[in-house]
Amino acid sequence: MSIIFSRKCEYGIQAVLLLTVEEEGGGVHSAEEIAGRLKIPKEFVSKILQELAVNGIIYSKKGKSGGFSLAKSPKELKLLDVVLAIDGPEMFNRCVLGFPNCSDKSPCPVHHKWSQLITQTFEMLSDETIDQFKQKTLNKIESIK
Amino acid sequence: MSIIFSRKCEYGIQAVLLLTVEEEGGGVHSAEEIAGRLKIPKEFVSKILQELAVNGIIYSKKGKSGGFSLAKSPKELKLLDVVLAIDGPEMFNRCVLGFPNCSDKSPCPVHHKWSQLITQTFEMLSDETIDQFKQKTLNKIESIK
DNA sequence: ACATAATCAGATTATTTTATCTGATTAAAC
DNA sequence: GTTTAATCAGATAAAATAATCTGATTATGT
């Protein structure tokens, strides 16, 4: 199957969005809660949350009533940063068409269009993004009940 | 690592581009030649070429002096078709952000932007694409000598 | 202090993707 | 007709990704 992002990255983005939505009240959320609400494996998302914490995207608090919370304000946060934190820069070095040495200076046929889109799409965590995610999440929770 | 396309798909696109570049003379090219020129595994690309043949993207000729050639004129060919032939439609059903039930009617925050780009980027096999690939391929061959 | 609930770290397993191998079939060239 | 060079089909192996397990550490709350 063609893949856009790795699962790891998808889960990471979703977790960050969830923390963003729940930011009011500086909410700390456990890995278990996050996994439950997103319906993704707890142990896996734990690892991802750890990586995000190491990279300063989120803050982690150990011990009882510990958990994770946003380290930056949503306004400063880029989805791009999340991708970079989890999967590193390789994605942006790897050519969509698999051309060797594809770069800004020596672009493959779709290089420019592609990198432009990636940047535009993930540059900012827009209010629209957050709002829509909030709706989706709520819907998901509703559908469980 | 984040991935845009699977290797399978990358190789398939490259193979089709190569056949397009070499189309003049209705050229038939063996899997071995294609693998050699693109510097990708022969057995793997053979499988991919078979799938492309089954899906009518390319034509395959068995036996001695057999091989593969384009089944459509480059003007009719879409890179999108190649992707669909190799990896199926799942890529376009799967949400970039991993949202369940993401679709045109119930889009995730980046759904519209994303599908627009995908379509635009791969809709047509443009002259520009072919020309650039020709240069790349020639460069690659030069660098081997 | 102690029980509890969480992160964290490392090892292991499962699944998927990528790549390779073997042999059968096909058709052209001699 | 025989040799040869190719596709084709199915099985297998290797590598990468995804998921799980186990236990240690940490800090909170009682």
Side-chain angles (χ1 to χ4, degrees):
Chain A
M1 176 173 57
S2 289
I3 292 174
I4 300 291
F5 286 115
S6 63
R7 279 274 151 78
K8 230 172 138 185
C9 205
E10 275 182 12
Y11 293 165
I13 291 173
Q14 290 182 57
V16 167
L17 284 173
L18 183 60
L19 289 179
T20 305
V21 168
E22 304 281 318
E23 204 214 6
E24 303 119 22
V28 174
H29 300 268
S30 72
E32 185 163 19
E33 187 204 340
I34 293 169
R37 293 188 63 181
L38 297 175
K39 294 200 269 188
I40 59 186
K42 177 193 161 191
E43 287 86 1
F44 198 24
V45 86
S46 292
K47 287 255 183 278
I48 297 164
L49 289 165
Q50 282 172 41
E51 289 184 50
L52 289 172
V54 168
N55 285 277
I57 309 283
I58 62 179
Y59 178 74
S60 86
K61 188 186 172 191
K62 295 182 187 176
K64 186 165 179 177
S65 79
F68 301 89
S69 55
L70 271 196
K72 298 179 178 182
S73 102
K75 296 291 175 198
E76 303 170 68
L77 193 58
K78 299 177 184 179
L79 287 183
L80 213 52
D81 294 333
V82 178
V83 177
L84 287 171
I86 295 175
D87 284 339
E90 287 182 68
M91 160 173 189
F92 304 98
N93 300 332
R94 180 171 174 186
C95 174
V96 192
L97 302 182
F99 280 38
N101 308 322
C102 174
S103 67
D104 286 348
K105 289 187 180 172
S106 165
C108 84
V110 303
H111 177 82
H112 288 311
K113 270 191 186 173
W114 197 261
S115 34
Q116 202 181 355
L117 178 92
I118 300 248
T119 308
Q120 279 177 14
T121 307
F122 296 108
E123 189 58 30
M124 191 59 69
L125 201 57
S126 68
D127 290 340
E128 190 197 3
T129 303
I130 297 170
D131 285 348
Q132 287 200 29
F133 185 78
K134 191 180 286 187
Q135 286 176 29
K136 293 271 176 183
T137 309
L138 293 176
N139 288 345
K140 204 188 284 186
I141 290 167
E142 280 304 315
S143 69
I144 298 170
K145 287 177 182 168
Chain B
M1 175 173 58
S2 288
I3 292 176
I4 299 291
F5 285 116
S6 63
R7 279 275 150 77
K8 230 173 137 184
C9 205
E10 276 182 12
Y11 293 165
I13 291 173
Q14 290 182 58
V16 167
L17 284 173
L18 182 60
L19 288 178
T20 305
V21 168
E22 304 280 320
E23 203 215 4
E24 302 118 24
V28 174
H29 299 269
S30 72
E32 184 162 22
E33 188 204 339
I34 293 169
R37 293 188 63 181
L38 297 175
K39 294 201 268 187
I40 59 185
K42 177 192 161 190
E43 287 85 1
F44 198 25
V45 86
S46 292
K47 289 253 182 275
I48 296 165
L49 289 164
Q50 281 172 41
E51 289 184 49
L52 289 171
V54 168
N55 285 277
I57 309 282
I58 61 179
Y59 178 74
S60 86
K61 188 184 172 193
K62 295 181 187 176
K64 186 165 182 176
S65 79
F68 301 89
S69 55
L70 273 194
K72 298 179 177 182
S73 100
K75 297 289 174 196
E76 304 170 68
L77 193 57
K78 299 175 184 179
L79 287 183
L80 213 52
D81 294 334
V82 177
V83 177
L84 287 170
I86 294 175
D87 284 338
E90 287 182 68
M91 158 171 192
F92 304 98
N93 300 334
R94 180 171 174 185
C95 174
V96 192
L97 302 183
F99 280 37
N101 309 322
C102 174
S103 68
D104 285 348
K105 290 187 179 173
S106 164
C108 83
V110 303
H111 177 82
H112 288 310
K113 270 191 184 172
W114 195 262
S115 35
Q116 202 179 356
L117 181 92
I118 299 251
T119 308
Q120 280 176 13
T121 307
F122 297 109
E123 189 58 30
M124 190 58 70
L125 202 56
S126 68
D127 290 340
E128 190 196 3
T129 303
I130 298 171
D131 284 350
Q132 286 199 31
F133 186 78
K134 191 179 286 185
Q135 285 175 29
K136 294 269 175 186
T137 310
L138 293 177
N139 289 344
K140 206 188 284 188
I141 291 167
E142 281 302 317
S143 69
I144 300 170
K145 286 177 184 168

